[in-house]
Amino acid sequence: MELDVHPTVLAICRLDPSRAIPAWATGAAGPLVSVTRTSDELSVVIPEHAVPRSVRYEGSWLGMSVRGPLEFSLTGVVAGLSAPLADAGIPIFVVSTFDTDWLLVRADDIDHAVEALGGAGHQVHFLEA
């Protein structure tokens, strides 16, 4: 697979599941903005600079998108990407969209992640800011 590393630092936010989707989440611009609601939480992935200080979040993540679009009939895409990262001890956060998959890796781990993915035969490209 070919992946692109996006330079924008991302944050993963956790909000109460009953909360309305906040304007700061819907108004954010970046390579990835994701809003997901379950019965247990409202998760928002946005550029870290857009997160209000009062919000609980995990920061300093970089997003790697799989070059796509990917067909829905493909199998094992996330498994094939996550396995070498797991073997290297690198935690990830995954977001899937209609066209592709995103792997979020802590910024401090990006070089190690690129090395692990390259060792597994994947090509990783760094996008310019």
Side-chain angles (χ1 to χ4, degrees):
M1 304 249 77
E2 285 193 65
L3 299 98
D4 292 320
V5 177
H6 299 263
T8 302
V9 178
L10 300 170
I12 304 164
C13 309
R14 187 201 188 281
L15 304 168
D16 186 271
S18 63
R19 181 172 176 175
I21 297 170
W24 54 264
T26 59
L32 175 66
V33 175
S34 177
V35 178
T36 306
R37 184 187 308 276
T38 69
S39 58
D40 297 321
E41 66 179 300
L42 175 63
S43 290
V44 178
V45 178
I46 60 171
E48 188 170 17
H49 65 79
V51 180
R53 291 179 188 232
S54 61
V55 173
R56 177 181 170 195
Y57 75 94
E58 292 285 328
S60 299
W61 295 82
L62 291 176
M64 294 188 287
S65 60
V66 179
R67 288 191 178 175
L70 302 175
E71 297 295 325
F72 277 89
S73 60
L74 289 176
T75 61
V77 174
V78 172
L81 296 169
S82 63
L85 297 173
D87 290 344
I90 299 170
I92 62 171
F93 185 89
V94 179
V95 176
S96 293
T97 69
F98 190 91
D99 284 338
T100 195
D101 296 311
W102 284 73
L103 301 176
L104 277 61
V105 174
R106 293 213 182 261
D108 289 346
D109 290 332
I110 195 67
D111 291 334
H112 194 109
V114 169
E115 180 181 320
L117 289 167
H122 303 292
Q123 294 181 356
V124 183
H125 310 275
F126 285 85
L127 298 179
E128 306 253 344

